[in-house]
Amino acid sequence: MIRNLLDRFAGMGMRIPSPAELGEMAVALGLAALALAVGVLVGQRVGAQLAGLWHRVLGEHANGIQPRLCRITRYLTTALLLSPLTSAWPWHPPTTLLLGILLGLGMALAVVEVLRGLGLPRLVTWAMGMIAFASLLSKTMGGLGVIEALLARIGFDIGTRRLSLLSLLTVAVTVILIYALVRLANRLLAEWIGRAHGLDATQRLLGQKLASIAILAVAFFVGIDLLGIDLTTFAVFSGAFGLAIGFGMQKTVGNLIAGIILLMDRSIKPGDVIVVGDSFGWVNKIGVRAVSVITRDGKEHLIPNENLMTQEVENWSYTDRNVRVRIAVTVAYGCDLELAQALMLRAATESPRVLDTPAPNVWLTALGENGAAHEILVWISDPESGIGNVRSDVLNRLWKLFGEHGITVPAPRRDVRISASGS
């Protein structure tokens, strides 16, 4: 039966491996299986240790790659063991093809796991994995130069430069790799700066943003150098292009600089309670373009950084987090004012969010049309938790105390007089 199958393949023009080649392929498969077994063992033991080390180094930023480190170690170890195996012996072409496929597959899976761990889209990661697979397979078979020449021939000339499929592929791979390295460097620096105990929260945030800008600048010039782009070729239209970019990104750059200034002078910090126009809430984070302010309703307002530099801003926790709350109360004429004021102080003191120092106070502000107007002055230290609930709590307590002690609150009264005029 096997003989008939081999004869059928031969009749179709396919080359049948000789018994020596089949034996060689069996040996190569055995060595590949051994490399895979070693990779699995190293991935389980060394990968787990690397995952723990990765978490200690990156902390909360390690979530992307940490759970993948065992698989990354397994695939990389397998590929590294198969790489010297492909050139350790003058294998016949079928065996070389088999080892090339296994080597390319191992490296492709490692690339996919690393890029997915850094948060790159699935389509990009699998495209990079296919490129890695095709490159290693072609190199193993000795045809990488032929493929490069073929890709270089597919294209067209623009002036003195050649725009080919190879150059486009090189640019895409370089950009993706630099982008992945930038994300990794940002995570590392963000974690290291975040652990600097000598800096407060605002200084750490400023350091992280400046470090991100520096990483982007370095990545840009490194990418230009790797791609061999001569910036002097853009000298003809660089002025007009720069002017257009300047006008188009004026607001973006202005917001970026405004955000850095806000962090440097520390006038607004994450956690501050601010009022900008009709927006009241606490600062969640200061971004490159806008400041995130979360209101008591749970809504998140994104206020451009420039607005905070040019508009009037109330910062309730700029130098001191203590905020004074005014609560208006009116009692009817004929009540014992001293008793009413004592009950107001008691209601304020018993409210859990009201501070003992500075102590609450009560002022008689006016003798109005319907009663004696008072103002209860209390201090709180957590304005981000709201002010209306403090007023409500104090007034609820005061209502019960007034009812227990016979203190009345005046109700609006209108006298209507009807006069009858004789005819």
Side-chain angles (χ1 to χ4, degrees), residues 48-260:
Q49 296 177 358
L50 289 177
L53 177 62
W54 192 262
H55 185 269
R56 289 192 296 271
V57 172
L58 284 180
E60 61 179 7
H61 297 88
N63 295 334
I65 288 186
Q66 183 189 1
R68 302 173 182 268
L69 269 176
C70 289
R71 294 193 295 271
I72 293 173
T73 307
R74 178 196 312 158
Y75 298 142
L76 279 179
T77 302
T78 304
L80 290 176
L81 291 176
L82 289 175
S83 180
L85 186 62
T86 57
S87 57
W89 185 262
W91 306 102
H92 289 90
T95 307
T96 304
L97 175 62
L98 176 63
L99 292 176
I101 292 175
L102 295 176
L103 173 61
L105 185 61
M107 187 59 68
L109 291 174
V111 169
V112 169
E113 291 292 339
V114 171
L115 296 182
R116 287 293 294 164
L118 292 174
L120 271 70
R122 188 181 301 273
L123 179 63
V124 175
T125 58
W126 281 107
M128 291 292 292
M130 292 176 62
I131 292 173
F133 174 80
S135 300
L136 287 177
L137 178 59
S138 302
K139 184 177 180 181
T140 303
M141 298 299 297
L144 185 59
V146 176
I147 294 179
E148 290 180 352
L150 177 62
L151 294 176
R153 285 197 300 269
I154 303 174
F156 52 89
D157 296 326
I158 301 179
T160 59
R161 296 188 64 86
R162 173 72 176 172
L163 187 61
S164 64
L165 190 58
L166 178 62
S167 61
L168 292 178
L169 189 61
T170 303
V171 170
V173 172
T174 303
V175 169
I176 293 173
L177 291 179
I178 290 178
Y179 177 73
L181 291 176
V182 166
R183 288 183 65 90
L184 179 59
N186 277 331
R187 292 185 183 184
L188 286 170
L189 287 178
E191 181 63 24
W192 292 344
I193 295 175
R195 292 181 180 180
H197 300 292
L199 304 176
D200 58 23
T202 305
Q203 292 172 336
R204 288 195 292 268
L205 182 58
L206 176 61
Q208 290 170 358
K209 293 191 177 300
L210 292 178
S212 298
I213 295 173
I215 290 173
L216 287 175
V218 171
F220 174 77
F221 288 108
V222 169
I224 291 294
D225 183 66
L226 289 176
L227 295 174
I229 299 176
D230 187 6
L231 294 179
T232 58
T233 58
F234 300 102
V236 177
F237 60 93
S238 59
F241 182 74
L243 186 62
I245 290 295
F247 278 111
M249 300 186 65
Q250 181 179 3
K251 288 293 184 181
T252 302
V253 175
N255 285 320
L256 172 62
I257 296 176
I260 294 176

Side-chain angles (χ1 to χ4, degrees), residues 7 14 20 41 74 105 111 141 155 157 204 212 222 244 261 275 284 288 317-318 330 371 374 418:
D7 291 340
M14 299 180 60
L41 182 62
R74 178 196 312 158
L105 185 61
V111 169
M141 298 299 297
D157 296 326
R204 288 195 292 268
S212 298
V222 169
I261 293 175
V275 179
N284 182 30
V288 174
S317 50
Y318 179 46
T330 302
H374 292 77
I418 302 175

